[in-house]
Amino acid sequence: MLSHESHGVEGHMKKGLVVLIVLIVIALMLGSSFVGRRNQMAIKREAVNAAWAQVDVVLQRRADLIPNLVETVKGFAVQEQIVFGDIAKARSALLGAHSPAEKIAANGQLDSALGRLLVVVENYPQLKSNENFLRLQDELAGTENRIAVERRRYNEAVQDYNTFIALFPNSLVASLSGFARNDAYFKTDEGARQAPNVKFDYGTKPATPSPAASPAPAKP
C-alpha cells in the first residue's frame, strides 16, 4: 500500500519537474527574444542618432556660410533689410535650437528666408561678377546638396526605427523598455524638398556703359 502511494507521489513529482523544466525553457526563450529585440531597437535608435549627427554638421556648415553671404549681398543691396532680418532671426533660431525637432523647424524657416535672399540677388546683376559672392555661392550649393543627402538618410533611419518598434511583438518590448516613436522628421512639401536654386545666368553680361562724348573743341 505504501509502495503504491510512494510511486504515485514520485509520478506527480516527475510530472511537476517536467512542467517546471518546460516553463523554464519557455521563459529562457522569451527572455532571449526580449533581449534580442531590445538590442535591435537600441542599434536602430543609435543609427538615428548617428544620422542626425551628420545632418547637424551640414546644417552648422550652412549656418556658418550665411553671414558672409549676407554681408556680400548687403554691399550691393543694402536696402533689402527685411530679408536680411528674416535670415538673421532664422539663423539665430537654428543655432539656439537643442532637440532635432526644434532644429528641423528652425531649418525650415531658414530655408524659406534663404530662398527669398536668392530671389533678391537676381535683381542685382553686378553680384554675378563679384568673386567673393561666386565663391560663397559655390560653397552654399555644395552644402545644400549635402544637406539633401543627409536629410534623406536621416528620414530613412527614423522610418526604419519607427516601423520596427511598431511591429508586434516589438511594440510590447518597446513599451516595456522605454523605446518611444520618433516623430522628428524633415516634413516638407515637394517644392521645399529641393535645395534653393543658387545658380545664376552667367551668360548675361552687364551692360557696358557707353563712353562719354568728347567735348567739342572751343571756337577761337
Side-chain angles (χ1 to χ4, degrees):
M1 187 71 171
L2 292 174
S3 177
H4 179 73
E5 290 179 356
S6 63
H7 282 302
V9 171
E10 289 179 1
H12 285 301
M13 291 179 64
K14 288 181 180 180
K15 290 181 180 179
L17 184 60
V18 169
V19 171
L20 179 61
I21 292 174
V22 170
L23 291 175
I24 291 175
V25 170
I26 293 175
L28 289 174
M29 291 177 61
L30 291 175
S32 176
S33 177
F34 180 92
V35 172
R37 292 174 187 276
R38 188 186 185 285
N39 287 343
Q40 283 183 281
M41 292 176 192
I43 291 172
K44 291 180 181 295
R45 185 168 63 184
E46 285 306 308
V48 171
N49 293 337
W52 173 254
Q54 294 302 312
V55 173
D56 208 17
V57 168
V58 290
L59 291 182
Q60 182 64 52
R61 169 60 179 162
R62 183 175 66 170
D64 292 341
L65 285 174
I66 286 175
N68 290 335
L69 181 68
V70 169
E71 288 302 315
T72 302
V73 176
K74 276 184 179 180
F76 296 86
V78 68
Q79 67 272 24
E80 304 290 348
Q81 292 301 318
I82 295 179
V83 175
F84 299 146
D86 289 343
I87 291 177
K89 290 178 183 177
R91 180 177 180 273
S92 178
L94 178 64
L95 296 178
H98 299 288
S99 68
E102 291 175 350
K103 291 190 176 183
I104 288 171
N107 180 70
Q109 296 175 1
L110 187 56
D111 280 343
S112 178
L114 186 59
R116 292 195 296 275
L117 174 68
L118 297 177
V119 170
V120 165
V121 167
E122 291 285 0
N123 298 325
Y124 299 89
Q126 61 270 41
L127 273 170
K128 300 174 187 178
S129 59
N130 182 275
E131 292 183 4
N132 188 46
F133 174 76
L134 296 180
R135 176 181 59 80
L136 291 169
Q137 174 233 319
D138 287 340
E139 292 183 24
L140 180 63
T143 303
E144 292 290 352
N145 291 335
R146 190 64 184 167
I147 288 174
V149 171
E150 298 300 343
R151 183 170 57 186
R152 185 186 71 250
R153 290 175 178 172
Y154 169 76
N155 275 354
E156 290 173 352
V158 173
Q159 182 178 11
D160 180 55
Y161 166 79
N162 285 341
T163 300
F164 186 77
I165 69 170
L167 297 175
F168 184 84
N170 296 346
S171 56
L172 296 178
V173 177
S175 178
L176 293 173
S177 303
F179 288 89
R181 177 181 173 83
N182 187 341
D183 289 319
Y185 280 101
F186 281 95
K187 301 173 184 178
T188 54
D189 55 33
E190 291 299 324
R193 282 178 187 158
Q194 301 177 358
N197 184 4
V198 293
K199 295 181 180 179
F200 300 94
D201 184 8
Y202 296 106
T204 303
K205 297 181 179 179
T208 303
S210 57
S214 301
K219 294 182 179 180

